[in-house]
Each structure stands twice: as structure tokens, then as C-alpha cells.
mmCIF file of all heavy atoms in Angstrom:
data_model
loop_
_atom_site.group_PDB
_atom_site.id
_atom_site.type_symbol
_atom_site.label_atom_id
_atom_site.label_comp_id
_atom_site.label_asym_id
_atom_site.label_seq_id
_atom_site.Cartn_x
_atom_site.Cartn_y
_atom_site.Cartn_z
ATOM 1 N N GLU B 1 -15.186 6.280 2.787
ATOM 2 C CA GLU B 1 -14.933 7.716 2.665
ATOM 3 C C GLU B 1 -15.375 8.146 1.424
ATOM 4 O O GLU B 1 -16.033 9.209 1.198
ATOM 5 C CB GLU B 1 -13.557 7.997 2.762
ATOM 6 C CG GLU B 1 -12.904 7.821 4.182
ATOM 7 C CD GLU B 1 -13.377 8.776 5.235
ATOM 8 O OE1 GLU B 1 -13.873 9.892 4.844
ATOM 9 O OE2 GLU B 1 -13.597 8.318 6.410
ATOM 10 N N LYS B 2 -15.314 7.272 0.303
ATOM 11 C CA LYS B 2 -15.774 7.799 -1.035
ATOM 12 C C LYS B 2 -17.297 7.734 -0.991
ATOM 13 O O LYS B 2 -17.957 8.653 -1.639
ATOM 14 C CB LYS B 2 -15.357 6.673 -2.053
ATOM 15 C CG LYS B 2 -15.572 7.156 -3.507
ATOM 16 C CD LYS B 2 -14.956 6.099 -4.450
ATOM 17 C CE LYS B 2 -15.022 6.600 -5.791
ATOM 18 N NZ LYS B 2 -14.610 5.542 -6.804
ATOM 19 N N ALA B 3 -17.933 6.856 -0.280
ATOM 20 C CA ALA B 3 -19.449 6.854 -0.301
ATOM 21 C C ALA B 3 -19.902 8.145 0.540
ATOM 22 O O ALA B 3 -20.938 8.659 0.242
ATOM 23 C CB ALA B 3 -19.938 5.695 0.439
ATOM 24 N N ALA B 4 -19.132 8.666 1.503
ATOM 25 C CA ALA B 4 -19.536 9.784 2.319
ATOM 26 C C ALA B 4 -19.207 11.110 1.655
ATOM 27 O O ALA B 4 -19.588 12.231 2.141
ATOM 28 C CB ALA B 4 -18.875 9.731 3.664
ATOM 29 N N ASN B 5 -18.585 11.070 0.495
ATOM 30 C CA ASN B 5 -18.441 12.342 -0.319
ATOM 31 C C ASN B 5 -17.504 13.310 0.521
ATOM 32 O O ASN B 5 -17.838 14.476 0.648
ATOM 33 C CB ASN B 5 -19.543 12.885 -0.756
ATOM 34 C CG ASN B 5 -20.297 12.195 -1.878
ATOM 35 O OD1 ASN B 5 -19.527 11.474 -2.653
ATOM 36 N ND2 ASN B 5 -21.542 12.160 -2.001
ATOM 37 N N VAL B 6 -16.369 12.846 1.063
ATOM 38 C CA VAL B 6 -15.483 13.740 1.775
ATOM 39 C C VAL B 6 -14.759 14.543 0.811
ATOM 40 O O VAL B 6 -14.677 14.362 -0.465
ATOM 41 C CB VAL B 6 -14.471 12.971 2.710
ATOM 42 C CG1 VAL B 6 -15.331 12.274 3.770
ATOM 43 C CG2 VAL B 6 -13.688 12.055 1.814
ATOM 44 N N ASN B 7 -13.979 15.585 1.237
ATOM 45 C CA ASN B 7 -13.244 16.483 0.481
ATOM 46 C C ASN B 7 -12.112 15.818 -0.190
ATOM 47 O O ASN B 7 -11.680 14.659 0.222
ATOM 48 C CB ASN B 7 -12.857 17.689 1.228
ATOM 49 C CG ASN B 7 -11.798 17.500 2.337
ATOM 50 O OD1 ASN B 7 -11.295 16.327 2.452
ATOM 51 N ND2 ASN B 7 -11.695 18.419 3.183
ATOM 52 N N SER B 8 -11.495 16.345 -1.299
ATOM 53 C CA SER B 8 -10.548 15.629 -2.116
ATOM 54 C C SER B 8 -9.164 15.463 -1.374
ATOM 55 O O SER B 8 -8.592 14.474 -1.552
ATOM 56 C CB SER B 8 -10.293 16.415 -3.443
ATOM 57 O OG SER B 8 -9.801 17.653 -3.121
ATOM 58 N N SER B 9 -8.790 16.457 -0.367
ATOM 59 C CA SER B 9 -7.540 16.304 0.224
ATOM 60 C C SER B 9 -7.591 14.949 1.140
ATOM 61 O O SER B 9 -6.573 14.308 1.277
ATOM 62 C CB SER B 9 -7.116 17.502 1.025
ATOM 63 O OG SER B 9 -8.136 17.709 2.100
ATOM 64 N N ALA B 10 -8.719 14.736 1.776
ATOM 65 C CA ALA B 10 -8.879 13.522 2.631
ATOM 66 C C ALA B 10 -8.837 12.346 1.877
ATOM 67 O O ALA B 10 -8.203 11.366 2.262
ATOM 68 C CB ALA B 10 -10.176 13.601 3.526
ATOM 69 N N PHE B 11 -9.465 12.374 0.762
ATOM 70 C CA PHE B 11 -9.471 11.231 -0.241
ATOM 71 C C PHE B 11 -7.992 10.889 -0.712
ATOM 72 O O PHE B 11 -7.681 9.825 -0.772
ATOM 73 C CB PHE B 11 -10.460 11.496 -1.371
ATOM 74 C CG PHE B 11 -10.494 10.395 -2.395
ATOM 75 C CD1 PHE B 11 -11.301 9.174 -1.989
ATOM 76 C CD2 PHE B 11 -9.933 10.500 -3.690
ATOM 77 C CE1 PHE B 11 -11.274 8.180 -2.963
ATOM 78 C CE2 PHE B 11 -9.960 9.499 -4.471
ATOM 79 C CZ PHE B 11 -10.702 8.400 -4.187
ATOM 80 N N ASP B 12 -7.395 12.020 -0.986
ATOM 81 C CA ASP B 12 -5.928 11.858 -1.463
ATOM 82 C C ASP B 12 -5.059 11.340 -0.338
ATOM 83 O O ASP B 12 -4.190 10.420 -0.619
ATOM 84 C CB ASP B 12 -5.373 13.186 -1.966
ATOM 85 C CG ASP B 12 -6.006 13.673 -3.310
ATOM 86 O OD1 ASP B 12 -6.573 12.813 -3.898
ATOM 87 O OD2 ASP B 12 -5.874 14.871 -3.571
ATOM 88 N N HIS B 13 -5.259 11.708 0.862
ATOM 89 C CA HIS B 13 -4.594 11.195 1.929
ATOM 90 C C HIS B 13 -4.848 9.731 2.148
ATOM 91 O O HIS B 13 -3.822 8.925 2.402
ATOM 92 C CB HIS B 13 -5.004 11.983 3.267
ATOM 93 C CG HIS B 13 -4.071 11.530 4.408
ATOM 94 N ND1 HIS B 13 -2.802 11.870 4.496
ATOM 95 C CD2 HIS B 13 -4.416 10.910 5.448
ATOM 96 C CE1 HIS B 13 -2.354 11.258 5.621
ATOM 97 N NE2 HIS B 13 -3.266 10.750 6.251
ATOM 98 N N ILE B 14 -6.053 9.248 2.047
ATOM 99 C CA ILE B 14 -6.409 7.938 2.184
ATOM 100 C C ILE B 14 -5.725 7.092 1.046
ATOM 101 O O ILE B 14 -5.181 5.950 1.339
ATOM 102 C CB ILE B 14 -8.003 7.696 2.222
ATOM 103 C CG1 ILE B 14 -8.417 8.268 3.523
ATOM 104 C CG2 ILE B 14 -8.301 6.234 2.117
ATOM 105 C CD1 ILE B 14 -10.015 8.287 3.658
ATOM 106 N N GLN B 15 -5.685 7.601 -0.156
ATOM 107 C CA GLN B 15 -5.218 7.016 -1.387
ATOM 108 C C GLN B 15 -3.580 6.841 -1.160
ATOM 109 O O GLN B 15 -3.093 5.833 -1.450
ATOM 110 C CB GLN B 15 -5.334 7.782 -2.639
ATOM 111 C CG GLN B 15 -6.854 7.672 -3.027
ATOM 112 C CD GLN B 15 -7.128 6.365 -3.650
ATOM 113 O OE1 GLN B 15 -7.184 5.285 -2.913
ATOM 114 N NE2 GLN B 15 -7.579 6.281 -4.829
ATOM 115 N N MET B 16 -3.055 7.819 -0.500
ATOM 116 C CA MET B 16 -1.604 7.708 -0.257
ATOM 117 C C MET B 16 -1.280 6.621 0.702
ATOM 118 O O MET B 16 -0.296 5.891 0.567
ATOM 119 C CB MET B 16 -1.124 9.067 0.268
ATOM 120 C CG MET B 16 0.401 9.135 0.606
ATOM 121 S SD MET B 16 0.855 10.662 1.365
ATOM 122 C CE MET B 16 -0.096 10.513 2.931
ATOM 123 N N LYS B 17 -2.086 6.659 1.828
ATOM 124 C CA LYS B 17 -1.906 5.576 2.772
ATOM 125 C C LYS B 17 -2.158 4.165 2.169
ATOM 126 O O LYS B 17 -1.354 3.234 2.517
ATOM 127 C CB LYS B 17 -2.916 5.790 3.948
ATOM 128 C CG LYS B 17 -2.612 7.106 4.806
ATOM 129 C CD LYS B 17 -1.480 6.713 5.828
ATOM 130 C CE LYS B 17 -1.544 7.835 6.798
ATOM 131 N NZ LYS B 17 -0.520 7.576 7.911
ATOM 132 N N LEU B 18 -3.066 4.031 1.332
ATOM 133 C CA LEU B 18 -3.463 2.754 0.678
ATOM 134 C C LEU B 18 -2.179 2.430 -0.166
ATOM 135 O O LEU B 18 -1.812 1.258 -0.322
ATOM 136 C CB LEU B 18 -4.674 2.852 -0.089
ATOM 137 C CG LEU B 18 -5.047 1.596 -0.847
ATOM 138 C CD1 LEU B 18 -5.299 0.452 0.075
ATOM 139 C CD2 LEU B 18 -6.271 1.833 -1.718
ATOM 140 N N PHE B 19 -1.681 3.388 -0.910
ATOM 141 C CA PHE B 19 -0.547 3.042 -1.817
ATOM 142 C C PHE B 19 0.609 2.557 -1.021
ATOM 143 O O PHE B 19 1.350 1.574 -1.353
ATOM 144 C CB PHE B 19 -0.254 4.338 -2.602
ATOM 145 C CG PHE B 19 1.117 4.222 -3.351
ATOM 146 C CD1 PHE B 19 1.223 3.402 -4.498
ATOM 147 C CD2 PHE B 19 2.314 4.817 -2.921
ATOM 148 C CE1 PHE B 19 2.290 3.267 -5.235
ATOM 149 C CE2 PHE B 19 3.527 4.629 -3.643
ATOM 150 C CZ PHE B 19 3.480 3.776 -4.737
ATOM 151 N N ARG B 20 0.944 3.219 0.085
ATOM 152 C CA ARG B 20 2.099 2.889 0.932
ATOM 153 C C ARG B 20 1.896 1.491 1.503
ATOM 154 O O ARG B 20 2.762 0.814 1.653
ATOM 155 C CB ARG B 20 2.296 3.900 2.043
ATOM 156 C CG ARG B 20 2.875 5.183 1.496
ATOM 157 C CD ARG B 20 3.145 6.120 2.663
ATOM 158 N NE ARG B 20 3.762 7.354 2.201
ATOM 159 C CZ ARG B 20 3.940 8.431 2.895
ATOM 160 N NH1 ARG B 20 3.404 8.555 4.076
ATOM 161 N NH2 ARG B 20 4.470 9.471 2.364
ATOM 162 N N SER B 21 0.693 1.093 2.072
ATOM 163 C CA SER B 21 0.508 -0.039 2.522
ATOM 164 C C SER B 21 0.542 -1.282 1.545
ATOM 165 O O SER B 21 1.160 -2.313 1.717
ATOM 166 C CB SER B 21 -0.857 -0.102 3.299
ATOM 167 O OG SER B 21 -1.946 0.148 2.409
ATOM 168 N N GLN B 22 0.077 -0.899 0.298
ATOM 169 C CA GLN B 22 0.253 -1.903 -0.796
ATOM 170 C C GLN B 22 1.634 -2.144 -1.168
ATOM 171 O O GLN B 22 2.221 -3.207 -1.373
ATOM 172 C CB GLN B 22 -0.597 -1.454 -2.011
ATOM 173 C CG GLN B 22 -2.027 -1.604 -1.924
ATOM 174 C CD GLN B 22 -2.745 -0.936 -2.976
ATOM 175 O OE1 GLN B 22 -2.306 -0.089 -3.768
ATOM 176 N NE2 GLN B 22 -4.041 -1.357 -3.087
ATOM 177 N N ARG B 23 2.433 -0.894 -1.150
ATOM 178 C CA ARG B 23 3.865 -1.052 -1.473
ATOM 179 C C ARG B 23 4.558 -1.955 -0.400
ATOM 180 O O ARG B 23 5.374 -2.830 -0.734
ATOM 181 C CB ARG B 23 4.518 0.327 -1.563
ATOM 182 C CG ARG B 23 6.064 0.325 -1.709
ATOM 183 C CD ARG B 23 6.697 1.578 -1.191
ATOM 184 N NE ARG B 23 6.422 1.735 0.276
ATOM 185 C CZ ARG B 23 6.604 2.871 0.832
ATOM 186 N NH1 ARG B 23 7.035 3.911 0.222
ATOM 187 N NH2 ARG B 23 6.286 2.915 2.227
ATOM 188 N N ASN B 24 4.200 -1.746 0.802
ATOM 189 C CA ASN B 24 4.797 -2.468 1.932
ATOM 190 C C ASN B 24 4.416 -3.887 1.850
ATOM 191 O O ASN B 24 5.196 -4.788 2.199
ATOM 192 C CB ASN B 24 4.367 -1.922 3.386
ATOM 193 C CG ASN B 24 4.963 -0.516 3.478
ATOM 194 O OD1 ASN B 24 5.776 -0.015 2.871
ATOM 195 N ND2 ASN B 24 4.292 0.236 4.406
ATOM 196 N N LEU B 25 3.193 -4.193 1.350
ATOM 197 C CA LEU B 25 2.786 -5.658 1.220
ATOM 198 C C LEU B 25 3.594 -6.233 0.231
ATOM 199 O O LEU B 25 4.151 -7.445 0.365
ATOM 200 C CB LEU B 25 1.334 -5.650 0.829
ATOM 201 C CG LEU B 25 0.700 -6.974 0.483
ATOM 202 C CD1 LEU B 25 0.575 -7.775 1.779
ATOM 203 C CD2 LEU B 25 -0.550 -6.798 -0.252
ATOM 204 N N TYR B 26 3.893 -5.572 -1.020
ATOM 205 C CA TYR B 26 4.694 -6.128 -1.937
ATOM 206 C C TYR B 26 6.192 -6.383 -1.550
ATOM 207 O O TYR B 26 6.773 -7.345 -1.839
ATOM 208 C CB TYR B 26 4.631 -5.329 -3.294
ATOM 209 C CG TYR B 26 3.358 -5.369 -3.992
ATOM 210 C CD1 TYR B 26 2.753 -4.203 -4.367
ATOM 211 C CD2 TYR B 26 2.704 -6.580 -4.266
ATOM 212 C CE1 TYR B 26 1.397 -4.289 -4.996
ATOM 213 C CE2 TYR B 26 1.528 -6.568 -4.879
ATOM 214 C CZ TYR B 26 0.922 -5.483 -5.189
ATOM 215 O OH TYR B 26 -0.290 -5.416 -5.869
ATOM 216 N N LEU B 27 6.758 -5.285 -0.892
ATOM 217 C CA LEU B 27 8.045 -5.477 -0.404
ATOM 218 C C LEU B 27 8.291 -6.677 0.550
ATOM 219 O O LEU B 27 9.186 -7.497 0.434
ATOM 220 C CB LEU B 27 8.557 -4.234 0.420
ATOM 221 C CG LEU B 27 8.875 -2.927 -0.527
ATOM 222 C CD1 LEU B 27 8.983 -1.818 0.447
ATOM 223 C CD2 LEU B 27 10.096 -3.184 -1.310
ATOM 224 N N SER B 28 7.275 -6.786 1.565
ATOM 225 C CA SER B 28 7.537 -7.951 2.494
ATOM 226 C C SER B 28 7.233 -9.276 1.788
ATOM 227 O O SER B 28 7.827 -10.145 2.187
ATOM 228 C CB SER B 28 6.573 -7.603 3.733
ATOM 229 O OG SER B 28 5.242 -7.537 3.279
ATOM 230 N N GLY B 29 6.227 -9.293 0.999
ATOM 231 C CA GLY B 29 5.934 -10.493 0.246
ATOM 232 C C GLY B 29 7.031 -10.959 -0.640
ATOM 233 O O GLY B 29 7.336 -12.202 -0.643
ATOM 234 N N PHE B 30 7.515 -10.162 -1.416
ATOM 235 C CA PHE B 30 8.672 -10.610 -2.228
ATOM 236 C C PHE B 30 9.908 -10.963 -1.464
ATOM 237 O O PHE B 30 10.698 -11.755 -1.792
ATOM 238 C CB PHE B 30 9.043 -9.362 -3.268
ATOM 239 C CG PHE B 30 7.908 -9.297 -4.451
ATOM 240 C CD1 PHE B 30 7.380 -8.138 -4.840
ATOM 241 C CD2 PHE B 30 7.684 -10.493 -5.165
ATOM 242 C CE1 PHE B 30 6.437 -8.095 -5.745
ATOM 243 C CE2 PHE B 30 6.743 -10.490 -6.159
ATOM 244 C CZ PHE B 30 6.132 -9.311 -6.423
ATOM 245 N N SER B 31 10.153 -10.091 -0.387
ATOM 246 C CA SER B 31 11.337 -10.478 0.485
ATOM 247 C C SER B 31 11.181 -11.854 1.104
ATOM 248 O O SER B 31 12.244 -12.507 1.113
ATOM 249 C CB SER B 31 11.393 -9.497 1.570
ATOM 250 O OG SER B 31 11.826 -8.117 1.127
ATOM 251 N N LEU B 32 10.023 -12.166 1.512
ATOM 252 C CA LEU B 32 9.707 -13.508 2.002
ATOM 253 C C LEU B 32 9.924 -14.495 1.101
ATOM 254 O O LEU B 32 10.607 -15.580 1.228
ATOM 255 C CB LEU B 32 8.323 -13.544 2.702
ATOM 256 C CG LEU B 32 7.844 -14.772 3.257
ATOM 257 C CD1 LEU B 32 8.624 -15.185 4.460
ATOM 258 C CD2 LEU B 32 6.311 -14.663 3.712
ATOM 259 N N PHE B 33 9.360 -14.364 -0.176
ATOM 260 C CA PHE B 33 9.535 -15.311 -1.200
ATOM 261 C C PHE B 33 10.963 -15.498 -1.657
ATOM 262 O O PHE B 33 11.409 -16.635 -1.757
ATOM 263 C CB PHE B 33 8.700 -14.863 -2.464
ATOM 264 C CG PHE B 33 8.833 -15.653 -3.671
ATOM 265 C CD1 PHE B 33 8.324 -16.948 -3.626
ATOM 266 C CD2 PHE B 33 9.567 -15.203 -4.697
ATOM 267 C CE1 PHE B 33 8.498 -17.815 -4.789
ATOM 268 C CE2 PHE B 33 9.792 -15.985 -5.794
ATOM 269 C CZ PHE B 33 9.205 -17.324 -5.879
ATOM 270 N N LEU B 34 11.690 -14.441 -1.752
ATOM 271 C CA LEU B 34 13.054 -14.487 -2.263
ATOM 272 C C LEU B 34 13.966 -15.023 -1.139
ATOM 273 O O LEU B 34 15.016 -15.769 -1.441
ATOM 274 C CB LEU B 34 13.530 -13.097 -2.684
ATOM 275 C CG LEU B 34 13.143 -12.655 -4.050
ATOM 276 C CD1 LEU B 34 13.882 -11.340 -4.468
ATOM 277 C CD2 LEU B 34 13.619 -13.777 -5.145
ATOM 278 N N TRP B 35 13.660 -14.804 0.208
ATOM 279 C CA TRP B 35 14.389 -15.540 1.166
ATOM 280 C C TRP B 35 14.329 -17.010 1.173
ATOM 281 O O TRP B 35 15.253 -17.743 1.269
ATOM 282 C CB TRP B 35 13.921 -14.963 2.527
ATOM 283 C CG TRP B 35 14.771 -15.402 3.644
ATOM 284 C CD1 TRP B 35 14.315 -16.230 4.650
ATOM 285 C CD2 TRP B 35 16.257 -15.099 3.926
ATOM 286 N NE1 TRP B 35 15.451 -16.390 5.496
ATOM 287 C CE2 TRP B 35 16.574 -15.643 5.145
ATOM 288 C CE3 TRP B 35 17.077 -14.377 3.276
ATOM 289 C CZ2 TRP B 35 17.857 -15.624 5.619
ATOM 290 C CZ3 TRP B 35 18.392 -14.308 3.786
ATOM 291 C CH2 TRP B 35 18.688 -14.953 4.943
ATOM 292 N N LEU B 36 13.126 -17.464 0.767
ATOM 293 C CA LEU B 36 12.846 -18.970 0.680
ATOM 294 C C LEU B 36 13.544 -19.472 -0.626
ATOM 295 O O LEU B 36 14.256 -20.548 -0.618
ATOM 296 C CB LEU B 36 11.534 -19.283 0.553
ATOM 297 C CG LEU B 36 10.562 -19.114 1.875
ATOM 298 C CD1 LEU B 36 9.212 -19.149 1.584
ATOM 299 C CD2 LEU B 36 11.081 -19.954 2.956
ATOM 300 N N VAL B 37 13.567 -18.636 -1.812
ATOM 301 C CA VAL B 37 14.203 -19.046 -2.922
ATOM 302 C C VAL B 37 15.704 -19.149 -2.811
ATOM 303 O O VAL B 37 16.469 -19.947 -3.323
ATOM 304 C CB VAL B 37 13.881 -18.083 -4.069
ATOM 305 C CG1 VAL B 37 14.819 -18.234 -5.311
ATOM 306 C CG2 VAL B 37 12.424 -18.221 -4.438
ATOM 307 N N LEU B 38 16.177 -18.053 -1.959
ATOM 308 C CA LEU B 38 17.707 -18.024 -1.725
ATOM 309 C C LEU B 38 18.120 -19.296 -0.967
ATOM 310 O O LEU B 38 19.213 -19.863 -1.284
ATOM 311 C CB LEU B 38 18.022 -16.751 -0.990
ATOM 312 C CG LEU B 38 19.420 -16.489 -0.591
ATOM 313 C CD1 LEU B 38 20.304 -16.391 -1.953
ATOM 314 C CD2 LEU B 38 19.556 -15.355 0.316
#
């Protein structure tokens, strides 16, 4: 999308989705790790 020069609202929406997916990755990863530690 960045290469295609789309408008800024679409770029912000993609950034928001990316942020949420990264947050979910950290949540599930740390939960998995702490479950093993527990």
C-alpha cells in the first residue's frame, strides 16, 4: 500500500490493523511463556 501511494486514511487503517495484530502477538506470546513459567 505504501508503494501504491494510497490515501492517508487507508494507510492509517492498515497501520491500526498492524498495531492490533502486533499487540495480539505479544499478548499471546507472553501468555504462552508465562503459562510455562507458572
